[in-house]
Amino acid sequence: MAFLGSAVRRVVSVVRPPLSPLCRTTARSYSSEPTSEKSVPYEKTLKQQDGASSGPTKPLPRSADAVVIGGGSLGCQTIYHLAKMGMTNVVLLERDRLTAGTTWHTAGLLWQLRPSDVEVELLAHTRNVISKDLEEETGLHTGWIQNGGLFIASNKQRLDEYKRLMSLGKVYGIESHVLSPAETKDLYPLMNVDDLYGTLYVPKDGTMDPAGTCTTLTRAASARGATVIENCPVTGIQVRTDDFGIKRVKAVETSHGTIETPCVVNCAGVWATKLGEMAGVKVPLIAMHHAYVVTERIEGIQNMPNVRDHDASVYLRLQGDALSVGGYEHNPIFWDDVSDKFAFSLFDLDWDVFMQHIEGAINRVPDLEKTGIKSTVCGPESFTADHKPLMGEAPEVRGFFLGCGFNSAGMMLGGGCGRELAHWIIHGRPEKDMYGYDIRRFHNSLTDNQRWIRERSHESYAKNYSVVFPFDEPLASRNMRKDPFHQVDGQFDLNAHRCARVQPHRSVLTEQGCVFQERHGWERPGWFNKDGPAPVIDYDYYGAYDLKRNVNYKYNELLGREYTFDFPPHHEVIKSECLSCRHGVAVFDMSYFGKFYLTGPDAKKAADWLFTADVNKKPGSTVYTCMLNKRGGAEADLTVSRLEPGTANLPLAPQSNGDAYYLAIGGGVAEHNWNHIRTVLQDQGFNCQLTDHSEDMGMISIQGPKSREVLQEVLDTDLSNEAFPFSSHKVVNAAGHQVRAMRLSFVGELGWELHIPKDSCLPVYNAVMAAGAKHSIINSGYRAIDSLSIEKGYRHWHADLRPDDTPLEAGLAFTCKLKSSIPFQGRDRLEKQKEEGLRRRIVCFTIDEKVPMFGLEAVFRNGVPIGHLRRSDYGFFIDKTIGYGYIRHPDGGVVSANFIKTGEFTLERMGVTYKAKAHLKSPFDPENKRVKGIYA
């Protein structure tokens, strides 16, 4: 019999085999031949017995309202929720039997607490479906076991992270307890607690059974009229092009017939990329081996909670009177040759790779050293660039939805995501803020870039159990998109699907100490290090696969210093950037912004419908506005500038004989905005054109009391309030180059944005810096913007403004043309909400104690939890921590101004409460004098 301890000693003594170069088809020469041994630790699987029928289990219908492809957790949850929401003419096609592929061998763990409010809500719904709803509907037990969950902390930072989760859990009524090492030992007597700092115990976490869950889901769906067909592989997706040139799903082809349908849902797991190719849809995921081992019986382990020892990168799942042991290693094995024949098969376990988990497991539960190994389970799983699923309608083909790439979390996220995906299909958008899972979060230039997919997926896998710090940045696949201020000689070809290495990237901003952040593939300035350049260099896979680790990597060292839940070491640097802007002048490189033109015969109609504000003012005006979904939720906030008609002067002005608009949108969400606008234009049948010039122009923003003095030396136009008022724009000359100047601010100061053709960016920037030298002008980054903007009360989309927030709830009623009669998308919902009163609304909070907050802190009114902070930062001008959060009335009533004024508020940060002051207006410049140039 093999014992875990002897396995460790055996592997350590073996010479490691050589690694294949990463550019080859496989990352390592392992055996990937499937075995026939049934090694999963479940009493029941749905694997077909020899001689079973190879044909479809039911006749195929001629048509369906939707066809779900893939009978794993997501496919079964999606068809269940579609049927439950009333779409019953739906079909699920599974090429083998339900759970085949990846779901059948999953560990099935469910942890309720995550560092995301949306994920907490998704997990709560899964738990309700599995533990309660399905049993009530069908009378069948899904196999749910509520044995609790235990998170292990070996250091203060890890326990601080768990305390953040505990505070958020209080808002959602999730019971959790921070335990001392001694209390942990009482709960789990077999555990070694000598090296523990503490633990987080969640009594109502548990374990799911794949076969029981999927069988019950499909039985409940079938009872409502859905059709579930097994043994029916899909061979093709028919796509048609309509009269407007839009590609749409037409039908699903199988070797047993064709089903006409306007909607396909890709829940094919590891095989989702191949299914996407059938329709011309890019599905950016990658397959890897993912493994666990099942032990023999362990005396005293019965009824123990499941364990996650994040610092050891290992989990221990209760398996009756044994344990399943698995985790996330730094050197996972890629499965490049994905086989269609791999249904209920497993790989041979590579002990050399898996050994690191065994060491961590034995340290945590020493009895494991002399416990036998009953079976090994090594199967394929799909992973993505940010370790988040791929969901939503594909940008390439209308009616083609994704529900895949779940990074081995498909069981625990399945219920919540299945419900949101069903709502997406039926109503056009999900109910919750699913942007973090939406395929449109990735720029289209990245989603078929194999280097980006591979490197990012590896890093996300390897760091899955790392502490989630507020200011972390990826190291993989950097410098994919660079603005004109990031000009270098060597660069990666975005379209080259090959491995390549170049020298460190240096640029005008790098040389000035810029520490870059990555957003949407772009490199954007984060902050400016006073100790010289810290360039981003090529990814080293953390030394895996025998690659040499990057040494003396200054950028990585700077990131590492910010791995804290206290004020980061560079707090004073951010302060200097912020106060230079407040008292003098600063320049921000915001070139990563999306820059679109909306033109054509129906451009005015489209603008009226798309934008909440009245953007049809005189040419030369610029308006801040939102775009809404049909439920009134904010899909975007942006500025829209009305242009003069005329001949093309690209990239500064498009050809237009009538109405034309210039849209400037935060670069991190530009793809989402582009697709939202395009979808609305298609759905409404507007005859107009949307063109993208994001990469043709750079953009710098010059902000602060002295910005007018600086720019008056550079621009050939009068910058007085009378000649160039706030919220206006014009094409002017800057140091001999044409630019579009806009008087706007995202930091609450007097200032202008300069939108500059890319070849003119450096000369214009140099002219601005030269003119600003006598005013002590400085470069500033987005860390300063984050602080300055929250201090002023400006929103960040996807933080304190999301698709599940209306402008009225977000304090943005001023962006809505409700006093006019002009219709716009979502207007009816806003009018109804205005009439009924707000059941939730955003509130600004400040605290006097000098402690940092980052969002997710619980908000209490008179001791009752009523919400949590969505976003928080330090305001250096007012010298306080500021947070914004949405609050509700405990009895579900209207949240009035009086409700806010009369309450005593506290914020809970990592289990500690702080007295807070609630503000109905921004505590900084509430009368908006500074943006108007009034500095009395």
Side-chain angles (χ1 to χ4, degrees):
M1 177 184 290
F3 293 93
L4 294 188
S6 61
V8 171
R9 290 188 290 274
R10 185 180 72 248
V11 171
V12 169
S13 66
V14 173
V15 178
R16 296 180 63 180
L19 301 168
S20 303
L22 287 170
C23 296
R24 296 184 186 168
T25 305
T26 57
R28 195 164 182 177
S29 53
Y30 295 112
S31 167
S32 291
E33 291 298 315
T35 67
S36 59
E37 180 183 358
K38 190 174 85 173
S39 301
V40 296
Y42 300 108
E43 293 183 8
K44 176 185 177 183
T45 69
L46 304 180
K47 182 179 179 180
Q48 297 185 86
Q49 301 302 313
D50 293 339
S53 170
S54 59
T57 53
K58 293 178 184 175
L60 272 66
R62 294 183 61 182
S63 65
D65 293 334
V67 176
V68 179
I69 301 173
S73 171
L74 254 294
C76 294
Q77 289 278 10
T78 301
I79 198 167
Y80 164 75
H81 283 92
L82 283 170
K84 196 168 185 178
M85 291 181 188
M87 182 182 278
T88 57
N89 183 24
V90 289
V91 176
L92 184 151
L93 297 178
E94 163 55 47
R95 64 187 176 92
D96 197 278
R97 299 299 298 272
L98 296 179
T99 73
T102 58
T103 296
W104 78 290
H105 59 72
T106 183
L109 297 162
L110 191 147
W111 318 92
Q112 294 178 88
L113 292 178
R114 305 273 277 198
S116 159
D117 57 343
V118 174
E119 288 192 358
V120 168
E121 294 171 10
L122 295 173
L123 292 166
H125 183 67
T126 299
R127 189 182 179 284
N128 286 339
V129 169
I130 301 303
S131 66
K132 174 175 162 287
D133 295 352
L134 283 173
E135 190 163 352
E136 291 177 356
E137 292 177 33
T138 66
L140 301 174
H141 183 51
T142 63
W144 165 255
I145 300 172
Q146 181 180 297
N147 59 311
L150 192 63
F151 284 0
I152 306 299
S154 302
N155 54 69
K156 179 181 182 299
Q157 291 175 333
R158 183 68 76 176
L159 193 62
D160 283 348
E161 180 183 40
Y162 295 162
K163 289 177 179 178
R164 277 172 54 79
L165 299 181
M166 178 185 68
S167 292
L168 178 62
K170 291 180 181 179
V171 178
Y172 290 98
I174 297 173
E175 180 186 358
S176 66
H177 309 275
V178 172
L179 305 182
S180 68
E183 291 170 324
T184 303
K185 186 73 173 179
D186 290 340
L187 175 68
Y188 201 122
L190 296 183
M191 183 171 290
N192 166 35
V193 300
D194 293 344
D195 58 347
L196 290 195
Y197 205 87
T199 58
L200 179 69
Y201 175 50
V202 186
K204 294 182 181 178
D205 285 353
T207 315
M208 296 171 287
D209 176 79
T213 298
C214 290
T215 300
T216 311
L217 284 166
T218 53
R219 188 166 297 187
S222 298
R224 287 185 164 89
T227 302
V228 178
I229 304 175
E230 300 173 89
N231 294 329
C232 189
V234 170
T235 57
I237 307 291
Q238 292 181 16
V239 175
R240 66 181 177 89
T241 303
D242 69 15
D243 295 340
F244 298 97
I246 303 163
K247 291 183 177 180
R248 298 182 182 275
V249 168
K250 180 183 178 183
V252 175
E253 298 174 347
T254 79
S255 55
H256 304 283
T258 297
I259 305 174
E260 293 186 2
T261 182
C263 178
V264 162
V265 191
N266 183 350
C267 297
V270 164
W271 295 268
T273 300
K274 289 189 175 183
L275 187 65
E277 289 171 354
M278 294 180 184
V281 169
K282 297 182 289 187
V283 183
L285 57 78
I286 197 164
M288 299 184 196
H289 294 203
H290 194 53
Y292 60 89
V293 299
V294 184
T295 72
E296 296 286 357
R297 185 178 186 276
I298 303 171
E299 184 61 40
I301 205 70
Q302 295 86 345
N303 302 317
M304 289 296 102
N306 300 317
V307 173
R308 256 190 177 181
D309 190 340
H310 291 95
D311 295 313
S313 195
V314 67
Y315 67 79
L316 307 173
R317 176 206 195 271
L318 184 69
Q319 200 72 55
D321 58 2
L323 289 176
S324 293
V325 179
Y328 291 83
E329 54 279 353
H330 74 286
N331 56 339
I333 303 170
F334 294 100
W335 189 32
D336 293 310
D337 300 317
V338 176
S339 169
D340 292 339
K341 307 297 183 183
F342 211 91
F344 287 91
S345 304
L346 296 171
F347 301 114
D348 295 329
L349 180 67
D350 189 301
W351 282 100
D352 185 41
V353 174
F354 193 79
M355 176 265 294
Q356 55 200 285
H357 305 312
I358 299 299
E359 291 176 314
I362 290 174
N363 175 62
R364 191 53 55 221
V365 181
D367 281 12
L368 286 174
E369 184 164 14
K370 298 192 181 300
T371 299
I373 302 167
K374 186 176 183 179
S375 63
T376 66
V377 182
C378 182
E381 287 282 2
S382 58
F383 295 91
T384 64
D386 57 3
H387 218 75
K388 302 293 183 186
L390 307 175
M391 293 181 64
E393 191 173 29
E396 300 91 345
V397 179
R398 299 296 305 273
F400 192 101
F401 286 82
L402 301 179
C404 52
F406 273 78
N407 304 278
S408 77
M411 284 294 291
M412 69 175 178
L413 287 172
C417 288
R419 180 175 67 173
E420 294 305 308
L421 192 52
H423 201 278
W424 219 323
I425 293 163
I426 294 171
H427 300 289
R429 294 298 291 144
E431 283 191 301
K432 299 188 186 302
D433 168 33
M434 298 298 288
Y435 175 74
Y437 291 6
D438 192 334
I439 182 62
R440 301 179 299 175
R441 71 188 184 272
F442 297 135
H443 190 259
N444 64 80
S445 64
L446 301 176
T447 49
D448 62 349
N449 186 297
Q450 295 306 307
R451 169 182 166 254
W452 175 80
I453 296 169
R454 193 179 192 91
E455 287 189 3
R456 279 295 174 85
S457 298
H458 172 270
E459 183 177 31
S460 295
Y461 183 101
K463 291 182 68 174
N464 184 43
Y465 277 3
S466 298
V467 177
V468 181
F469 289 110
F471 303 118
D472 200 10
E473 294 289 330
L475 298 177
S477 288
R478 296 293 295 267
N479 296 304
M480 303 299 284
R481 305 176 74 197
K482 298 175 302 242
D483 67 42
F485 302 98
H486 205 311
Q487 299 293 337
V488 291
D489 294 328
Q491 60 182 341
F492 283 108
D493 178 356
L494 250 186
N495 299 309
H497 297 173
R498 65 178 191 275
C499 296
R501 298 184 72 82
V502 299
Q503 295 303 311
H505 296 71
R506 308 296 279 267
S507 68
V508 62
L509 297 183
T510 301
E511 292 301 328
Q512 297 180 75
C514 182
V515 180
F516 285 96
Q517 299 174 331
E518 187 276 340
R519 298 295 183 273
H520 217 48
W522 287 106
E523 298 293 321
R524 75 174 193 183
W527 56 282
F528 284 81
N529 175 38
K530 297 184 183 301
D531 298 326
V536 177
I537 59 180
D538 291 350
Y539 185 51
D540 61 2
Y541 282 82
Y542 293 94
Y545 315 114
D546 286 348
L547 288 175
K548 185 179 179 181
R549 288 214 67 168
N550 292 323
V551 295
N552 300 319
Y553 190 2
K554 190 171 184 179
Y555 180 84
N556 193 24
E557 291 171 4
L558 290 173
L559 287 184
R561 293 176 198 168
E562 299 213 320
Y563 287 172
T564 177
F565 291 109
D566 294 323
F567 287 118
H570 312 109
H571 188 65
E572 292 300 313
V573 179
I574 311 302
K575 176 181 179 179
S576 175
E577 292 184 18
C578 290
L579 294 183
S580 292
C581 179
R582 289 279 185 246
H583 298 300
V585 61
V587 58
F588 301 88
D589 173 18
M590 303 174 73
S591 299
Y592 91 124
F593 258 50
K595 310 169 192 78
F596 308 152
Y597 289 118
L598 180 64
T599 59
D602 290 343
K604 182 179 184 300
K605 290 181 182 178
D608 282 340
W609 183 252
L610 277 165
F611 307 124
T612 58
D614 184 3
V615 301
N616 283 301
K617 302 180 183 299
K618 65 180 181 180
S621 64
T622 298
V623 177
Y624 173 68
T625 183
C626 294
M627 292 191 291
L628 308 184
N629 52 44
K630 295 175 182 177
R631 294 182 297 109
E635 290 289 337
D637 69 330
L638 66 157
T639 59
V640 179
S641 299
R642 182 95 182 272
L643 304 178
E644 293 273 6
T647 57
N649 178 25
L650 293 173
L652 289 175
Q655 168 71 37
S656 172
N657 297 322
D659 298 294
Y661 307 87
Y662 176 47
L663 284 51
I665 296 161
V669 295
E671 184 78 12
H672 172 88
N673 280 242
W674 172 270
N675 284 283
H676 173 75
I677 296 168
R678 194 181 62 164
T679 298
V680 172
L681 297 181
Q682 292 172 1
D683 290 348
Q684 296 298 316
F686 291 129
N687 180 14
C688 48
Q689 292 76 49
L690 183 69
T691 54
D692 185 356
H693 290 273
S694 303
E695 313 225 4
D696 301 332
M697 285 187 283
M699 191 254 277
I700 55 175
S701 182
I702 300 90
Q703 300 287 326
K706 297 180 181 179
S707 60
R708 180 183 277 132
E709 297 173 58
V710 173
L711 288 175
Q712 195 63 80
E713 291 188 31
V714 179
L715 306 183
D716 68 344
T717 191
D718 183 356
L719 298 181
S720 66
N721 286 338
E722 296 74 25
F724 209 139
F726 184 71
S727 290
S728 66
H729 67 93
K730 60 180 72 173
V731 175
V732 300
N733 283 309
H737 298 263
Q738 277 198 324
V739 304
R740 185 175 298 279
M742 295 186 180
R743 188 170 165 192
L744 295 171
S745 179
F746 193 49
V747 297
E749 298 294 335
L750 172 69
W752 280 261
E753 295 176 358
L754 302 183
H755 297 243
I756 315 166
K758 61 182 180 181
D759 292 338
S760 300
C761 282
L762 289 178
V764 172
Y765 170 80
N766 290 332
V768 169
M769 298 305 286
K774 59 179 172 288
H775 300 287
S776 302
I777 193 170
I778 68 162
N779 291 294
S780 291
Y782 269 83
R783 289 279 288 278
I785 289 177
D786 289 342
S787 169
L788 293 164
S789 61
I790 198 171
E791 192 170 49
K792 182 65 185 80
Y794 292 155
R795 306 286 177 259
H796 271 337
W797 193 82
H798 196 233
D800 43 12
L801 179 67
R802 307 192 312 200
D804 53 345
D805 306 319
T806 72
L808 305 187
E809 295 167 339
L812 298 177
F814 69 92
T815 68
C816 302
K817 51 192 177 227
L818 292 175
K819 293 181 180 179
S820 76
S821 60
I822 303 170
F824 59 90
Q825 180 157 280
R827 176 173 180 145
D828 56 334
R829 295 299 184 96
L830 299 191
E831 289 175 332
K832 183 179 180 183
Q833 188 176 61
K834 185 177 180 181
E835 180 183 344
E836 294 177 349
L838 298 177
R839 297 297 198 273
R840 61 195 287 273
R841 63 187 291 178
I842 199 167
V843 176
C844 173
F845 298 96
T846 57
I847 60 172
D848 291 331
E849 287 88 347
K850 296 294 189 291
V851 295
M853 294 187 180
F854 307 105
L856 301 184
E857 291 81 9
V859 179
F860 293 81
R861 180 184 183 273
N862 300 343
V864 178
I866 57 169
H868 64 277
L869 297 186
R870 288 272 196 85
R871 179 179 166 217
S872 187
D873 213 317
Y874 199 82
F876 292 100
F877 189 87
I878 68 170
D879 200 24
K880 291 180 186 292
T881 293
I882 307 170
Y884 277 83
Y886 288 80
I887 65 171
R888 296 180 181 272
H889 199 295
D891 65 9
V894 172
V895 180
S896 65
N898 189 59
F899 176 81
I900 298 168
K901 291 175 181 177
T902 59
E904 291 188 5
F905 292 93
T906 55
L907 304 179
E908 181 174 311
R909 171 189 182 268
M910 297 189 297
V912 179
T913 58
Y914 299 88
K915 188 175 180 179
K917 181 178 180 180
H919 304 265
L920 293 173
K921 286 188 175 182
S922 166
F924 171 80
D925 190 25
E927 297 178 356
N928 292 320
K929 290 182 177 180
R930 298 170 76 100
V931 296
K932 300 170 186 174
I934 302 172
Y935 290 92

